[in-house]
Amino acid sequence: MRGPAVAVAVAMAFLLHGQSTWLPLSREVERPFAGTMQRVGSNAHTAVRPYRLSDVRALEVNDSANTFSLLPALDRWAGVRNGRSFRWGPLLDAQVLYDIDSAKSGVGHRAGAGFWLEKDFLDKLSFHVDAQAWSERFPTYLDTLVRATQVTPGEGYGFGEAPAYTHYDWNGYLSWDPGQAFNLTVGRGKNSFGEGYRSLFLSTEAYSYPYLKVTTTVWKIKYVNLFSMMNDIRGADGDVADFNRKYTSMHYLSWNAGKRLNVALFESIVWSQGDSLYPRGFDVNYLNPVIFYRPVEFAVGSPDNALLGGGLNVKVGKQSLIYSQVLLDEFLMREVRAGNGWYANKQALQIGVVSRNAFKVTGLLLRAEWNYVRPFMYTHSDTRQNYSHSGQPLAHPYGSNFQELLLYGELVDARWRHSLRASMAWLGRDSTYSNGNNIFRPESDRFIDADGDPQNYGYHVGSPKGGTLLHVEMRSGFLVDPSTGTRIEASYMLRMRTPDSGDVAMANVFRLGLVCYFRERHPEQEVRYVLD
């Protein structure tokens, strides 16, 4: 069966769920819907993820045989295909890898098991929970990252001793539609704002977190209020009781201004719970549902970390999309025009294009994307309020002071998936003093000049030169279970790290096994800081 027929059938399976249900936050699971949702004239807000089932109910679908799980009993028992209000299924990972690194070579593995289940209560209320645990021996470059940050990429704290770690993740939510235009979701998981492979607003890079989300959809507008609790794990040695809490309030306003044009506004406030001398907890002032918190900040005299951004997405031709994000932390036009590298000019920019069925080849997706993040972006003078959670950035995995060019191609043919992804990053680096690379260092930790003051100028993207990072990965797999994105897959990764001085570090990683894409995977990583 060809790709479109598979997409239609998988869509039919999901449409049998309650309309308050959310899809897993996984591009593999989303794939059958993404092309139709992004077509010209669609009123879907595809930058807001995860997707709601009600957003895809309007798709024209027809059931078709032999397109569900290759395990017929699982389809029958789990209720995926027969429209049961209670559904469940397994989550399995079983991979072996061989890592040929400049420093050493060896065999690694990833073994994980878990489950997911959902229950619908009429059409207004849905419950979901999923959980998975892994035993993993990482390739050398990721092992170095885990040692430096104490966490595995997007999947939680790394328990145990090198070279083998155990880690786990779980997500759950209760989703309620009190009216046609509103949805309230309380749970634990991840959210994402943006059309790109990366997001400079909020991505799926970091670990799961507790949240309350209020979504309003009226006419051509979708408005999301997202309140969450994050962790600062520094100094806790993995003891959850010793984690320092911080909170975020985020707004995302998406407006489909025309058949081909989407305009978005984003803002985020991060504040810490305080300490024993000034216990603060959750600041109720930030429950204000109206976008733009800056007036609220000024009213309460707040020193909190505020970010403000905008997005512009334009549909071109029949199935192509040009997308962009601009994010501001601090901004003075006269300093930008001067071009002197003022440290407080904190901006991030993304420009990309994605084309589906490119060159009229069915199932071919092509993407090109450029990300540019200035030094000190996402940092704060109080490091408890930086833009991170559980030891990882909430936006781009490289933090700040870098630019990246990313190219991606994917071909889907029935159950077969083949992809090639290549990214080149130009990285700045910290030294004894901060050059805006490490978002866990205060922005005041800059070079001290002859007068004893922190140096204010000379901070440019990629300087001081920290080298380049090339990451290329090829994958080829056969889809086993569409509802969890599980496939049998072989992959090869080439990674070259060119420092500003010294030898080039190269790694070749070969993988083979059963891969579960129920969660987003994050292989492109680099050690940008060491957590105490």
Side-chain angles (χ1 to χ4, degrees):
M1 178 174 293
R2 309 304 293 177
V6 173
V8 162
V10 176
M12 184 63 188
F14 277 110
L15 290 179
L16 294 172
H17 297 190
Q19 66 178 8
S20 59
T21 306
W22 299 83
L23 290 179
L25 190 49
S26 163
R27 294 195 184 277
E28 179 66 42
V29 179
E30 294 167 357
R31 180 183 287 107
F33 314 104
T36 303
M37 293 178 71
Q38 288 184 350
R39 67 188 176 188
V40 175
S42 169
N43 195 39
H45 298 264
T46 50
V48 180
R49 301 170 61 226
Y51 296 151
R52 294 195 61 207
L53 264 297
S54 59
D55 292 337
V56 297
R57 290 186 78 92
L59 299 178
E60 297 180 2
V61 295
N62 295 288
D63 196 3
S64 187
N66 303 320
T67 55
F68 297 88
S69 172
L70 292 183
L71 306 175
L74 181 59
D75 277 341
R76 183 173 66 254
W77 296 336
V80 172
R81 184 162 45 169
N82 59 21
R84 292 179 186 172
S85 63
F86 178 76
R87 302 169 298 278
W88 66 274
L91 300 172
L92 300 173
D93 273 300
Q95 304 161 55
V96 294
L97 67 88
Y98 188 68
D99 177 20
I100 305 174
D101 190 83
S102 297
K104 60 180 180 179
S105 300
V107 177
H109 70 273
R110 176 179 170 91
F115 68 94
W116 66 271
L117 61 85
E118 293 175 343
K119 171 65 177 175
D120 298 331
F121 302 91
L122 301 177
D123 290 331
K124 300 294 184 180
L125 189 65
S126 294
F127 169 77
H128 170 95
V129 65
D130 65 75
Q132 196 168 5
W134 298 268
S135 170
E136 191 157 6
R137 181 169 180 170
F138 294 95
T140 301
Y141 84 99
L142 286 180
D143 181 75
T144 304
L145 178 80
V146 176
R147 293 175 190 238
T149 64
Q150 309 168 39
V151 293
T152 62
E155 294 177 344
Y157 196 90
F159 296 95
E161 298 291 336
Y165 299 89
T166 58
H167 53 103
Y168 68 91
D169 188 18
W170 70 272
N171 303 303
Y173 64 77
L174 190 65
S175 176
W176 176 46
D177 291 334
Q180 185 175 0
F182 301 99
N183 174 268
L184 277 70
T185 300
V186 59
R188 184 181 189 275
K190 302 181 184 183
N191 296 270
S192 179
F193 299 129
E195 298 281 7
Y197 181 82
R198 310 288 199 189
S199 174
L200 303 181
F201 294 167
L202 177 65
S203 73
T204 61
E205 292 290 335
Y207 193 36
S208 300
Y209 44 83
Y211 67 89
L212 167 65
K213 180 166 63 175
V214 182
T215 305
T216 305
T217 307
V218 178
W219 185 52
K220 298 182 179 182
I221 293 175
K222 183 181 288 288
Y223 184 44
V224 180
N225 286 266
L226 181 64
F227 309 98
S228 59
M229 182 176 73
M230 307 291 185
N231 291 325
D232 186 341
I233 67 173
R234 290 175 294 175
D237 196 27
D239 187 347
V240 177
D242 290 336
F243 290 172
N244 291 310
R245 311 297 183 192
K246 58 183 175 182
Y247 303 93
T248 69
S249 291
M250 300 184 189
H251 288 156
Y252 190 86
L253 176 65
S254 175
W255 173 36
N256 288 327
K259 291 183 178 181
R260 296 181 178 272
L261 178 65
N262 174 271
V263 180
L265 293 175
F266 169 79
E267 70 171 341
S268 173
I269 301 290
V270 183
W271 74 96
S272 73
Q273 67 177 354
D275 50 38
S276 58
L277 298 178
Y278 179 45
R280 184 179 179 188
F282 189 89
D283 192 332
V284 295
N285 288 288
Y286 292 134
L287 288 176
N288 185 342
V290 180
I291 197 168
F292 298 133
Y293 277 128
R294 276 300 190 185
V296 176
E297 274 209 309
F298 291 139
V300 299
S302 171
D304 301 330
N305 188 8
L307 302 173
L308 180 64
L312 185 66
N313 309 306
V314 181
K315 297 173 182 177
V316 180
K318 292 185 178 181
Q319 299 189 69
S320 296
L321 176 71
I322 298 175
Y323 56 89
S324 62
Q325 290 183 334
V326 177
L327 188 64
L328 308 176
D329 190 342
E330 297 181 44
F331 178 85
L332 282 180
M333 180 57 72
R334 69 172 182 271
E335 296 289 357
V336 173
R337 289 177 175 173
N340 294 326
W342 187 43
Y343 83 96
N345 266 341
K346 306 175 187 176
Q347 302 100 33
L349 172 64
Q350 177 186 88
I351 299 174
V353 58
V354 59
S355 180
R356 302 179 185 278
N357 297 323
F359 303 109
K360 299 182 179 181
V361 177
T362 301
L364 177 63
L365 181 146
L366 298 176
R367 182 188 297 271
E369 182 176 297
W370 176 62
N371 295 292
Y372 176 93
V373 181
R374 275 194 48 77
F376 301 104
M377 187 69 196
Y378 306 115
T379 63
H380 197 264
S381 55
D382 182 348
T383 60
R384 296 173 300 177
Q385 298 179 167
N386 68 353
Y387 202 60
S388 72
H389 165 58
S390 194
Q392 289 188 285
L394 285 170
H396 198 289
Y398 297 158
S400 58
N401 193 4
F402 72 91
Q403 60 177 315
E404 175 196 43
L405 176 64
L406 186 146
L407 302 175
Y408 179 73
E410 174 185 85
L411 179 63
V412 177
D413 183 8
R415 288 186 179 268
W416 288 99
R417 280 97 170 98
H418 313 282
S419 66
L420 173 63
R421 180 176 62 253
S423 64
M424 174 68 80
W426 293 264
L427 308 169
R429 62 174 176 83
D430 284 346
S431 57
T432 304
Y433 299 95
S434 175
N435 292 300
N437 163 66
N438 183 354
I439 67 174
F440 289 90
R441 295 180 74 171
E443 58 191 30
S444 58
D445 194 11
R446 307 189 301 277
F447 178 78
I448 304 301
D449 61 23
D451 296 326
D453 299 319
Q455 179 175 301
N456 292 333
Y457 295 94
Y459 300 97
H460 301 279
V461 171
S463 66
K465 185 179 178 182
T468 61
L469 175 61
L470 173 67
H471 187 110
V472 180
E473 187 167 14
M474 295 181 289
R475 297 176 179 175
S476 183
F478 185 79
L479 186 64
V480 175
D481 182 20
S483 63
T484 60
T486 302
R487 53 184 174 180
I488 300 171
E489 184 177 83
S491 68
Y492 164 70
M493 186 206 75
L494 169 66
R495 174 184 167 89
M496 294 181 61
R497 180 70 161 85
T498 305
D500 56 339
S501 61
D503 297 330
V504 175
M506 180 180 294
N508 297 271
V509 181
F510 301 86
R511 290 181 182 268
L512 178 64
L514 189 69
V515 185
C516 180
Y517 287 105
F518 193 79
R519 292 170 173 82
E520 300 273 57
R521 304 294 297 274
H522 305 278
E524 303 101 334
Q525 300 287 336
E526 171 66 5
V527 177
R528 304 282 276 157
Y529 47 84
V530 176
L531 297 184
D532 298 327

